[in-house]
Amino acid sequence: EQDCIEKSIIFYSKAIELDSSYDIAYNNLGVVFLDGLGDANRAMDYFKNAIGINPQYVLAYFNLARSHEMLNEKIAAAKQYQKALNLNKTRNELDNKIIEERLYKLFEA
């Protein structure tokens, strides 16, 4: 719902304002822009901020890859999915199958 999207943007932005090192808020705000508003370009900035704060943040790499995928930037998406997959081997934030499926689907005929 649009009202929830607007509130999410306000609340996550406020969280970032209160703690500019809050990587989860950056990632979640990116998800709101990506999935809620379909704005992959804007979402990418938030995912990159989350990664800048926490370079081990598997989900942020995964979401950055989804942004590239939405923009039909398959090579860039593949690189980010691969980073997520590599990090996930030790971090175990996501099911590897989910990452692998998204990665392989990029190049299906």
Side-chain angles (χ1 to χ4, degrees):
E1 304 261 346
Q2 186 63 30
D3 188 44
C4 291
I5 291 170
E6 291 171 9
K7 285 180 182 175
S8 294
I9 292 170
I10 291 167
F11 292 138
Y12 286 126
S13 297
K14 184 65 174 175
I16 291 167
E17 182 182 316
L18 293 172
D19 181 359
S20 63
S21 66
Y22 191 17
D23 56 340
I24 295 169
Y26 281 102
N27 181 70
N28 290 351
L29 188 52
V31 170
V32 171
F33 281 100
L34 182 65
D35 296 334
L37 298 175
D39 188 344
N41 287 309
R42 189 144 181 213
M44 289 171 85
D45 292 334
Y46 291 105
F47 300 136
K48 289 176 182 177
N49 280 330
I51 292 166
I53 294 165
N54 180 1
Q56 304 294 309
Y57 197 173
V58 175
L59 189 55
Y61 284 103
F62 180 80
N63 287 326
L64 180 58
R66 291 190 317 114
S67 298
H68 283 294
E69 187 176 354
M70 183 181 277
L71 295 170
N72 203 32
E73 298 170 348
K74 292 182 179 185
I75 300 299
K79 288 179 181 179
Q80 298 306 321
Y81 282 133
Q82 190 61 56
K83 285 181 185 178
L85 191 58
N86 291 343
L87 285 170
N88 201 52
K89 290 176 184 174
T90 57
R91 308 278 301 173
N92 202 31
E93 287 182 35
L94 295 170
D95 183 344
N96 281 336
K97 281 184 107 171
I98 294 170
I99 303 169
E100 290 170 350
E101 287 172 4
R102 296 293 294 245
L103 177 59
Y104 300 145
K105 186 179 176 188
L106 287 172
F107 300 102
E108 286 181 350

